[in-house]
């Protein structure tokens, strides 16, 4: 499978070969342009699809799981909607993972306490979740991760080991930052698009079609997600699926011992 380093090495080798050929036979300029366009396309898809493992190894599912086990994850909380989501999960006796934004934890520390008290896992989703996060240099990414880690630890006493990049975008700066912080990256293989779409039927159908053993569902702490979540719980129960924690599904630790 191609990754960032292999791609750069491969394309550099092609350019050197073209340069060498040019000493004997003229090589048209557009061959070099083609190489750079190809690199751009590969980098684009590798960066925007977290399951590609192009920059970073990400846990997006458990492909070895044969039993009807699945994990639910919620991004962008905590906020007021999180409380209602927690109520639904409690009614169905389900454990989920909440990837929380640091600035939202600052605003709602009591909701983070409720998440932990209810037995759910908390992961790091950066401090700002800025639209420009993908352009941050390594040191700023480290600062965002550590600031949120410190907030969670000050409230819960637990050192977070799980990180989900904003928008699921990865790049060399994020990779270098994670080499320092040593967080495990958690992706998904069932994207609901509930943070973009508003039609609850379309969102629910997207999830339902993709449900399979070992899957990780990406949801958000939004108002319309609550209606979808209730339907999803009933659908999973009817189809004999058990919702388990990320720790159980992936056999990893969410917190530092």
């Amino acid at each position: 499978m191609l990754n960032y380093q292999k791609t750069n090495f491969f394309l550099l080798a092609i350019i050197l070969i073209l340069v060498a050929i040019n000493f004997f036979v003229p090589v048209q300029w557009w061959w070099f342009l083609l190489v750079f366009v190809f690199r751009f396309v590969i980098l684009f898809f590798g960066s925007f699809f977290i399951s590609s493992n192009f920059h970073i190894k990400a846990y997006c599912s458990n492909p070895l799981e044969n039993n009807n086990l699945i994990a639910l994850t919620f991004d962008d909380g905590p906020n007021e909607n999180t409380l209602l989501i927690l109520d639904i999960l409690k009614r169905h006796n389900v454990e989920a993972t909440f990837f929380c934004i640091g600035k939202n934890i600052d605003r709602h520390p009591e909701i983070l306490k409720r998440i932990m008290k209810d037995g759910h896992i908390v992961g790091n989703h950066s401090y700002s979740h800025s639209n420009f996060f993908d352009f941050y240099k390594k040191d700023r990414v480290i600062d965002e991760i550590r600031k949120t880690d410190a907030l969670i630890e000050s409230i819960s006493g637990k050192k977070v080991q799980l990180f989900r990049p904003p928008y699921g975008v990865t790049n060399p700066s994020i990779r270098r930052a994670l080499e320092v912080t040593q967080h495990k990256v958690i992706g998904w293989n069932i994207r609901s698009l509930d943070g973009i779409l508003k039609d609850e039927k379309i969102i629910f159908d997207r999830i339902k079609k993709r449900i399979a053993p070992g899957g990780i569902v990406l949801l958000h702490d939004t108002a319309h997600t609550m209606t979808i979540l209730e339907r999803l719980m009933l659908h999973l129960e009817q189809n004999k699926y058990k919702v388990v924690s990320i720790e159980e599904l992936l056999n990893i630790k969410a917190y530092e011992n």
Side-chain angles (χ1 to χ4, degrees):
M1 179 180 293
L2 281 179
N3 59 26
Y4 181 72
Q5 289 82 4
K6 289 179 180 177
T7 298
N8 282 341
F9 179 81
F10 174 70
L11 294 178
L12 178 61
I14 290 177
I15 289 174
L16 291 175
I17 291 169
L18 290 175
V19 170
I21 292 172
N22 194 55
F23 280 110
F24 304 98
V25 180
V27 176
Q28 296 296 322
W29 63 267
W30 53 264
W31 278 103
F32 294 94
L33 178 62
L34 189 63
V35 172
F36 285 107
V37 170
F38 180 73
R39 181 178 186 271
F40 174 80
V41 171
I42 293 294
L43 289 178
F44 177 84
F45 283 98
S47 298
F48 282 86
F49 290 89
I50 194 168
S51 60
S52 70
N53 290 327
F54 188 73
H55 294 287
I56 300 165
K57 174 178 170 46
Y59 297 85
C60 297
S61 68
N62 183 352
L64 302 178
E65 183 58 66
N66 295 316
N67 297 314
N68 284 352
L69 302 181
I70 200 165
L72 301 182
T73 64
F74 295 86
D75 284 8
D76 297 357
N79 56 48
E80 291 81 2
N81 297 318
T82 309
L83 293 171
L84 298 174
I85 289 170
L86 289 170
D87 289 340
I88 295 172
L89 296 175
K90 192 169 188 176
R91 281 200 301 273
H92 292 272
N93 194 29
V94 161
E95 293 179 23
T97 300
F98 289 81
F99 287 96
C100 296
I101 299 172
K103 66 181 182 182
N104 289 345
I105 296 172
D106 266 335
R107 295 190 190 107
H108 304 287
E110 72 288 349
I111 300 180
L112 184 76
K113 290 178 183 176
R114 165 81 190 277
I115 293 172
M116 304 290 284
K117 182 183 175 185
D118 283 6
H120 303 291
I121 289 171
V122 170
N124 189 319
H125 198 38
S126 82
Y127 182 81
S128 66
H129 203 288
S130 166
N131 291 334
F132 302 102
F133 189 86
D134 310 333
F135 300 98
Y136 287 174
K137 299 297 184 182
K138 178 191 81 171
D139 289 345
R140 190 165 182 183
V141 175
I142 291 172
D143 182 64
E144 288 253 340
I145 294 172
R146 286 181 170 167
K147 192 172 181 180
T148 301
D149 275 355
L151 271 173
I152 296 170
E153 189 171 8
S154 69
I155 294 169
S156 67
K158 295 185 176 182
K159 178 71 182 299
V160 169
Q161 293 290 289
L162 307 182
F163 175 70
R164 176 172 282 168
Y167 316 107
V169 174
T170 59
N171 59 39
S173 293
I174 294 173
R175 173 181 57 79
R176 288 192 290 268
L178 291 168
E179 286 171 355
V180 175
T181 66
Q182 294 294 297
H183 286 70
K184 298 179 183 71
V185 177
I186 306 299
W188 60 82
N189 68 334
I190 304 172
R191 187 173 190 176
S192 65
L193 293 182
D194 62 338
I196 301 172
L197 303 175
K198 302 301 179 186
D199 189 314
E200 293 173 4
K201 183 180 184 307
I202 294 175
I203 297 169
F204 178 69
D205 287 344
R206 275 186 58 86
I207 301 171
K208 187 169 67 171
K209 289 174 184 175
R210 291 164 172 79
I211 288 172
I216 298 176
V217 183
L218 168 62
L219 295 160
H220 293 79
D221 296 25
T222 63
H224 57 275
T225 299
M226 291 178 290
T227 304
I228 298 160
L229 182 59
E230 188 68 60
R231 292 178 64 191
L232 178 59
M233 291 295 95
L234 294 173
H235 177 78
L236 291 172
E237 289 167 7
Q238 290 166 2
N239 287 274
K240 308 266 190 279
Y241 268 85
K242 181 183 179 184
V243 179
V244 298
S245 70
I246 283 287
E247 285 187 314
E248 182 176 344
L249 185 72
L250 301 176
N251 192 29
I252 61 174
K253 295 293 185 183
Y255 308 107
E256 190 176 282
N257 293 331

